[in-house]
Amino acid sequence: MGFRFQKRIKLGGGLGLNISKSGISPSLRTKMGTFSSKKYSVKTGVPGVQYQSSGCMLIFAFAGIITFLIYTLKF
């Protein structure tokens, strides 16, 4: 079994930095799931079950813009 290191630093508003052996990546947690530059996961509504896929920076940027608008415009 290999050594695994993973740490999340919260920046507020769902934003955070994930630190692991392979490097640092930003992430955004929303009610729908978690989006990062390396992957995304979507909650299914079933405890302990979520869908994960390799991510894309476009999805992360879109989710960040939507979250920013929600927090600044206070819908």
Side-chain angles (χ1 to χ4, degrees), residues 38-49:
K38 294 184 180 182
K39 68 176 185 174
Y40 66 92
S41 63
V42 180
K43 296 178 183 177
T44 61
V46 179
V49 177

Side-chain angles (χ1 to χ4, degrees), residues 44-64:
T44 61
V46 179
V49 177
Q50 46 181 300
Y51 172 75
Q52 290 187 347
S53 180
S54 59
C56 127
M57 196 57 158
L58 181 62
I59 292 172
F60 181 70
F62 178 73

